Amino acid sequence: MAASDGETAAEEYDGGLASSGDGAASAGGLDARGVYAISVAAELVGTGQQNIRQYERKGLLTPDRTDGGTRRYSESDLATLRRIGVLLDEGLNLAGVKLVLELEAENRGLTEDNKGLADDNRGLRADNRGLRKDLKRARATRQTPRPSLEAHKG
């Protein structure tokens, strides 16, 4: 299953495009609002509607639903469906696909955490440099010879 712009779904996915499975916006900035009916989603990703229903039953994705219960798939859901197709084409069964999707989601979360920690670390290092400069100035000021009080009395 190829992505619409010529990249494979696996290449597209490597950039962090993924669904959280709960309709939330992903870090990749994909639209998380469910707009596609199951028939349209199936056609867009090149699979059958029954396959998509089975993926939902297995917990591989959770599309939005209308008040009447109709499934609505988002761009993020379509990326997940494409990823599922790639993994199935590579020989994984649905249990394996689920594990891969979970690990990829966990990996994205850890990557985001790591970026946040790196940003925090940069800030702390900058603060540390400033404190070291302040300490150096304070020590230099303290070490300058001060006129003694005895010299002023005489």
Side-chain angles (χ1 to χ4, degrees):
M1 288 189 221
S4 59
D5 62 359
E7 291 181 317
T8 67
E11 289 168 340
E12 178 180 297
Y13 202 82
D14 288 342
L17 304 178
S19 171
S20 63
D22 61 4
S26 70
L30 293 176
D31 184 8
R33 188 170 55 100
V35 294
Y36 302 109
I38 193 168
S39 59
V40 175
E43 185 176 335
L44 289 171
V45 299
T47 192
Q49 295 177 36
Q50 288 302 324
N51 290 340
I52 295 175
R53 289 184 186 98
Q54 183 179 18
Y55 303 157
E56 184 181 350
R57 281 192 301 275
K58 296 287 186 180
L60 302 179
L61 78 156
T62 306
D64 289 341
R65 291 197 180 251
T66 64
D67 292 338
T70 303
R71 293 171 179 88
R72 292 288 180 213
Y73 296 87
S74 66
E75 289 294 329
S76 181
D77 292 327
L78 296 182
T80 298
L81 287 167
R82 288 183 187 105
R83 182 65 176 146
I84 291 167
V86 167
L87 293 171
L88 291 171
D89 289 348
E90 291 176 356
L92 275 70
N93 61 21
L94 291 180
V97 169
K98 184 173 184 175
L99 288 173
V100 168
L101 293 177
E102 289 170 353
L103 289 170
E104 287 173 340
E106 183 178 350
N107 197 17
R108 280 189 307 279
L110 291 171
T111 298
E112 287 302 313
D113 290 349
N114 206 13
K115 286 178 185 174
L117 291 171
D119 291 343
D120 291 348
N121 194 15
R122 276 190 290 279
L124 291 170
R125 286 180 186 272
D127 290 348
N128 193 13
R129 283 190 297 273
L131 290 171
R132 286 179 185 270
K133 287 179 184 176
D134 292 347
L135 180 60
K136 191 174 183 179
R137 276 193 297 265
R139 284 181 176 161
T141 303
R142 190 177 62 189
Q143 290 175 359
T144 5
R146 294 182 191 153
S148 74
L149 293 176
E150 294 297 321
H152 290 289
K153 289 183 180 177

